[in-house]
Amino acid sequence: MDPFVFALATLGLADSISFMIVTPSLAFYVTSLGGSQDFYGFVLAIYSFASFCGKPVLGRWSDACNFHVPYMVSITLSVLGGLLYAIAPAFEDNSIALASVALGRILGGLGRANSALGFAYVVRACPANERTSITSILGGVQMIGMAIAPLFSACLSGVDFSLLGVHFDNLNSVGLLLVIINLASQVVVYLYLPDLPTVEDDSSDDNEGEKESEWLRMFRCILGNPHIGVPFLTIFVFNFNWQFIETALAPASFDVFDWGPVEVSYVLGVMAVLIFLGMTAVHKLSQSGVSDFKLLVSGLVGNSIGYIMLYMLWHRGVNYMAFISPVFIGAGSFPFLGAPNRSLFSEAVDLVPELSGFEGTMQALLSMSSSVGGFTAPSMITHFCLRTPEEVSNSNDSREFTPAALFSPLLSILVLIAIFIAGQPEKKVDEIVESGDQENPDEGTPLVGKNVSRRSSEGDTPLKKVSPDRPRRRRLSLMEAARSASIRGSMLSPMTILPQNGKIYENE
C-alpha cells in the first residue's frame, strides 16, 4: 500500500470513529448538563455547518501552500474540540458547560472539514484511472470505522475516574477518546503523507485590471459546465438520502416494532458492512474497466428503487424483513454514488484549463454541497416527511411517511436524468495515451527510439530476436492502436507499433 493511501485511510478511520462514538451518547450528555432537546438538535446541526464553512478555506489553503499545514491545523482543531467536549462538566454553570460542548463540536466540525483535502490529494497524486479505486478504498475504511465504533462505546460504558480535578464517566470520556484518536491520526499524517508540489495557476494574468476573480471563475464553471455542475447535485442527493435513513430509522422503528437504540445500532452496523462490501465491489469493477458513468447510473437506479420501497413498506403491521430491506437496498447503492461521482467530477475539472491550480478548492466546494444535504435533511424530514405516532394512527394507510417522502427518490431520478443529458466527460489526450517511459522529443531526439525492434526491409522477414533483457511487450487492441496512431501522427517516439501474426504489440 502506498504511504499516502495508508495515511489518508488512517485519517478517514479516525474521522468515522470520532463521529460514531459521539452520536449515540450526545443526547444523554446534553440532558445531563441541563440542555433541552432543541439544544441537542442545535449541536448536531452546528457540527455539520462548521464543516461546511471550513471546507472552502482548507481547500483553497491546500492549493496555495500544499497539504501538510492545512492537515496539521485542522486535526489540531479536532483535538481541541475533543478536549472542550470532555471538560464541559467541570464548569459549575450549566450554560457555560453547554457552551463548551457546542464550541467543542464547532471545532470538531472545522477539523472534520479536512475530508475535502483527502479527495483533493487523491486527485493530485493519482492518475485518473486510479482515482475511483483509491477513493473506494478510503470510503471502505471509513465504513469499517463506523462498524467498529460501537465497540469503543461499549468500552467506555464503565468509565469512572478523575483526572486533574475533572470527573470522567461514560459520557464525557468520549471527548478524551476524541483527543487520543485525533492525535494518533495527526502523527500518522505527519510521518506518512508525502507533500506534493503546488500546482501553478495557468490562467493568464497579463492584464490584472481585467482579470476575472478566482471565485467568480470557479462558480462560472460550475454553473456553465454540466459535467462539473451535475456532480454537485449528485453528492447533495447522496448525503440527503443518507440522512433520510439516519433521521427516520429510530422513530419509525420504535413506532412499528418498539425498537430501542440497541436494535437500531444493529441495523446501522449491517448498513456499514453492506456499504463496505459495496466499496469493495466498486473498487473491483473499476479495476476491471467498468466506467464511472455506468457505476454511477446503477447507483442512482438502486437508490431510487430503495427509497420508493421505503415509502411503500414502512407502515404498521409490516414484518421485519420487509421493513429493513429498503434500508439495505439504499445502503448498497451509496458506494456507487460516492467514488464514481468524485472521479467524474475530477475528470471534468481536469479538462478546464481555467481551473488548473484550483483542484483542492473545487473538491472542497463539492464537499460543501454534501454538507448542505447533511444539515438541511433532518429538519425537512422530521417536519414534512415523518409522521408522529398520533399522525400514523389517524392516517388511512398507517404509513410512517407522508407522500412528501417521495421527494427523496424523485431527487435520485432527477439527477439520473441530468446525468444522461450531460453525458460522460471526454478523456484528456494525455490520459488516452500511455506514457510509459517516453522521452520529451526535441531536435536531438532520434526518429527511431533505442528500444525499438527493427525489421528488415526485405519482404516478410520475421522480427529480429529480442534479448531477454529487453522490456516485454503488451498486446494492444485495434482501437488502442488506432487511437495511439491518430494522436501521434507522423512523429515516431520510443513506442513503436508492429504487426506480427495479426496482433498488435507495444513496447512497455
Side-chain angles (χ1 to χ4, degrees), residues 469-490:
D469 295 332
R470 288 286 189 92
R472 297 181 63 186
R473 294 176 294 172
R474 179 174 63 81
R475 187 176 300 172
L476 282 180
S477 67
L478 290 175
M479 288 298 295
E480 289 177 313
R483 191 183 303 122
S484 178
S486 65
I487 291 171
R488 295 175 186 276
S490 60

Side-chain angles (χ1 to χ4, degrees), residues 323-397:
F323 184 86
I324 63 175
S325 58
V327 177
F328 294 158
I329 292 174
S333 70
F334 287 124
F336 292 83
L337 301 180
N341 184 61
R342 285 274 181 183
S343 295
L344 288 172
F345 174 77
S346 301
E347 289 179 15
V349 170
D350 287 346
L351 289 170
V352 181
E354 296 172 283
L355 297 178
S356 177
F358 296 94
E359 293 84 359
T361 308
M362 293 299 293
Q363 292 292 333
L365 292 175
L366 186 66
S367 295
M368 288 177 67
S369 182
S370 175
S371 296
V372 171
F375 66 74
T376 58
S379 57
M380 274 190 69
I381 293 163
T382 54
H383 189 75
F384 296 105
C385 303
L386 186 64
R387 287 171 171 165
T388 64
E390 293 76 16
E391 290 172 337
V392 175
S393 299
N394 295 331
S395 65
N396 296 324
D397 52 15

Side-chain angles (χ1 to χ4, degrees), residues 27-102:
F28 302 100
Y29 194 28
V30 169
T31 302
S32 70
L33 297 175
S36 64
Q37 183 173 336
D38 288 339
F39 187 81
Y40 162 67
F42 167 77
V43 173
L44 281 177
I46 201 66
Y47 175 84
S48 295
F49 186 73
S51 177
F52 168 83
C53 294
K55 285 173 180 176
V57 177
L58 291 179
R60 192 69 194 99
W61 196 358
S62 71
D63 287 333
C65 73
N66 225 300
F67 291 92
H68 262 186
V69 175
Y71 263 127
M72 292 298 106
V73 172
S74 61
I75 299 175
T76 300
L77 291 177
S78 294
V79 172
L80 293 176
L83 186 61
L84 286 174
Y85 189 92
I87 66 173
F91 299 102
E92 295 181 359
D93 189 336
N94 283 347
S95 61
I96 298 178
L98 290 171
S100 179
V101 172

Side-chain angles (χ1 to χ4, degrees), residues 226-235 237 291-301 336-338 340-342 344-345 411-425:
H227 295 124
I228 296 177
V230 172
F232 281 83
L233 298 177
T234 306
I235 201 168
V237 172
S291 69
D292 295 321
F293 186 83
K294 292 179 180 178
L295 292 172
L296 182 58
V297 167
S298 62
L300 287 168
V301 170
F336 292 83
L337 301 180
N341 184 61
R342 285 274 181 183
L344 288 172
F345 174 77
L411 282 176
S412 299
I413 294 172
L414 290 176
V415 172
L416 183 63
I417 294 172
I419 285 176
F420 274 112
I421 293 175
Q424 188 171 3

Side-chain angles (χ1 to χ4, degrees), residues 197-217:
T198 56
V199 178
E200 299 295 333
D201 184 2
D202 292 337
S203 60
S204 175
D205 53 1
D206 294 335
N207 190 344
E208 292 293 335
E210 299 179 359
K211 184 179 178 181
E212 186 178 24
S213 77
E214 297 170 349
W215 291 102
L216 181 60
R217 183 195 319 170

Side-chain angles (χ1 to χ4, degrees), residues 125-343:
C126 299
N129 61 347
E130 295 180 8
R131 291 171 186 165
T132 302
S133 174
I134 297 297
T135 307
S136 297
I137 292 173
L138 299 179
V141 172
Q142 287 186 319
M143 292 305 107
I144 293 175
M146 293 177 63
I148 66 177
L151 298 178
F152 288 89
S153 300
C155 293
L156 297 177
S157 61
V159 170
D160 185 10
F161 68 92
S162 295
L163 180 65
L164 300 178
V166 180
H167 179 259
F168 291 94
D169 55 19
N170 63 314
L171 297 178
N172 66 329
S173 59
V174 169
L176 278 183
L177 189 57
L178 293 178
V179 171
I180 296 171
I181 290 174
N182 283 290
L183 281 175
S185 67
Q186 190 172 36
V187 172
V188 171
V189 168
Y190 181 78
L191 294 177
Y192 292 98
L193 188 70
D195 222 355
L196 299 176
T198 56
V199 178
E200 299 295 333
D201 184 2
D202 292 337
S203 60
S204 175
D205 53 1
D206 294 335
N207 190 344
E208 292 293 335
E210 299 179 359
K211 184 179 178 181
E212 186 178 24
S213 77
E214 297 170 349
W215 291 102
L216 181 60
R217 183 195 319 170
M218 287 184 280
F219 282 111
R220 177 174 56 78
C221 292
I222 292 170
L223 297 176
N225 188 331
H227 295 124
I228 296 177
V230 172
F232 281 83
L233 298 177
T234 306
I235 201 168
F236 171 84
V237 172
F238 173 99
N239 210 18
F240 185 96
N241 287 354
W242 172 271
Q243 292 292 330
F244 196 104
I245 290 179
E246 283 200 337
T247 303
L249 180 59
S253 62
F254 177 79
D255 182 63
V256 176
F257 302 120
D258 199 26
W259 280 359
V262 175
E263 292 82 2
V264 172
S265 66
Y266 289 157
V267 175
L268 293 177
V270 175
M271 278 183 62
V273 172
L274 288 175
I275 293 174
F276 172 75
L277 294 176
M279 293 285 188
T280 304
V282 169
H283 169 69
K284 295 295 184 183
L285 290 171
S286 179
Q287 290 285 335
S288 65
V290 179
S291 69
D292 295 321
F293 186 83
K294 292 179 180 178
L295 292 172
L296 182 58
V297 167
S298 62
L300 287 168
V301 170
N303 197 262
S304 304
I305 294 173
Y307 280 83
I308 290 173
M309 292 176 61
L310 201 70
Y311 171 76
M312 299 296 295
L313 297 178
W314 277 26
H315 58 81
R316 289 178 180 175
V318 69
N319 61 59
Y320 294 116
M321 290 305 299
F323 184 86
I324 63 175
S325 58
V327 177
F328 294 158
I329 292 174
S333 70
F334 287 124
F336 292 83
L337 301 180
N341 184 61
R342 285 274 181 183
S343 295

